[in-house]
Amino acid sequence: MLTYIFLIILVVSLANKTTDGNKNIFILGGQSNMSGRGGVVNNIFDGFIPPECQSNSSILRLTKGLTWEEAKEPIHQDIDFYAICGIGPGMSFANFVLKNDPNIGVIGLVPCAVGATNISQWSQGSIFYNQMLNRTRVALQGDGMLRALLWYQGETDTLNDDAKLYKLRLYKFFTDVRNDLNTPSLPIIQVALASKFGPYTEEIRQVQLETQLQNVKTVDANGLKVGPDFVHLSTPSEVQLGQMLANAFLGFGSAHNLL
């Protein structure tokens, strides 16, 4: 009888977790290194989940069907469905934030990244942009609080001299997202590229590292190990990147409450 009562309490508790409106919402945007290719070799995910990326009842993710569920790797599996997803930085980020700010409450991850997308494909009004905004607005229903946009994108833009327009397009993207979500001070944490994917990598990295917008931080992935394809971060690197993103977010202090 006591076991039965315990099971009922557990089910109710989990249900409250997935419907509780007091969620800290984080958008995960960009391309493949955000959606995650850690542990993917020859289009096969090895299934290894590092301890830093394990599921936690206080970490939820918004599914493709716009419902909440307990997050588990690969968290972009139904969003970036053009390729096989593996480990990304999202779960490591969330677990590290919880570890260092145990009073933060429930974290709601909103995966939106899509591999091989250039910055123009994220321009205001585009399919991916509209999908990201729609998913975020659904996530915010029920008193959810938008805490930050985590952004890792740019490899595709290193391939040609269109890179000279990257700064203008990136700044406009960040500004448009803030305006359309009515969060003018939204913290944004972007990643400066790790891989030397194309001939204009340094031009893109320079824009990322020198971004001069309020409440925008850049973490530098340079030096993180990439996998056999020389583009995608390895599983340990994705874990480390997630913790770097978490440290950057926690570094905002009280600033991330001023939305």
Side-chain angles (χ1 to χ4, degrees):
M1 183 65 179
L2 289 177
T3 301
Y4 179 73
I5 293 174
F6 173 77
L7 288 173
I8 292 177
I9 294 173
L10 178 61
V11 169
V12 171
S13 175
L14 289 174
N16 287 338
K17 283 280 188 182
T18 57
T19 57
D20 179 15
N22 297 318
K23 298 183 185 72
N24 298 273
I25 305 299
F26 295 91
I27 307 169
L28 310 180
Q31 53 184 113
S32 56
N33 271 319
M34 176 58 79
S35 62
R37 299 291 187 268
V40 176
V41 179
N42 297 324
N43 289 322
I44 298 174
F45 174 46
D46 63 16
F48 172 66
I49 312 297
E52 300 89 344
C53 300
Q54 295 294 326
S55 298
N56 184 312
S57 62
S58 292
I59 303 174
L60 308 178
R61 78 163 195 121
L62 192 69
T63 69
K64 181 182 179 180
L66 303 178
T67 59
W68 289 107
E69 68 177 13
E70 185 170 311
K72 62 180 180 180
E73 295 283 16
I75 61 174
H76 269 83
Q77 59 189 336
D78 58 348
I79 303 300
D80 187 9
F81 53 83
Y82 302 95
I84 302 299
C85 291
I87 302 298
M91 286 299 292
S92 172
F93 165 84
N95 275 305
F96 196 81
V97 169
L98 280 176
K99 178 180 178 181
N100 288 275
D101 187 2
N103 296 320
I104 193 172
V106 176
I107 290 178
L109 300 177
V110 184
C112 299
V114 179
T117 49
N118 60 45
I119 192 66
S120 295
Q121 291 176 282
W122 290 92
S123 62
Q124 189 179 42
S126 67
I127 292 174
F128 299 127
Y129 182 90
N130 288 343
Q131 176 178 274
M132 181 178 68
L133 260 62
N134 179 58
R135 288 175 56 74
T136 302
R137 287 167 177 153
V138 170
L140 291 172
Q141 292 175 2
D143 299 325
M145 177 180 289
L146 184 57
R147 306 307 292 267
L149 164 64
L150 309 183
W151 181 253
Y152 191 168
Q153 187 278 331
E155 287 94 345
T156 303
D157 295 271
T158 69
L159 294 174
N160 57 62
D161 63 2
D162 208 29
K164 62 181 178 292
L165 298 174
Y166 191 78
K167 179 177 180 178
L168 177 65
R169 290 168 174 168
L170 181 71
Y171 279 41
K172 186 177 188 304
F173 168 74
F174 287 161
T175 301
D176 288 340
V177 169
R178 285 171 162 172
N179 289 339
D180 288 340
L181 291 175
N182 299 312
T183 52
S185 299
L186 175 66
I188 297 173
I189 308 169
Q190 68 171 335
V191 182
L193 301 182
S195 64
K196 298 187 182 301
F197 186 56
Y200 295 91
T201 296
E202 288 310 314
E203 285 82 351
I204 299 300
R205 278 180 47 80
Q206 182 177 4
V207 170
Q208 295 167 334
L209 291 168
E210 297 178 358
T211 300
Q212 298 293 319
L213 288 175
Q214 181 184 18
N215 277 1
V216 175
K217 291 186 177 184
T218 303
V219 298
D220 192 355
N222 187 40
L224 293 182
K225 184 179 179 181
V226 296
D229 59 9
F230 301 105
V231 176
H232 296 116
L233 296 180
S234 66
T235 293
S237 292
E238 289 283 19
V239 170
Q240 186 176 345
L241 177 62
Q243 294 174 348
M244 292 164 63
L245 290 165
N247 275 323
F249 169 71
L250 294 167
F252 276 108
S254 59
H256 62 257
N257 294 312
L258 304 177
L259 302 178

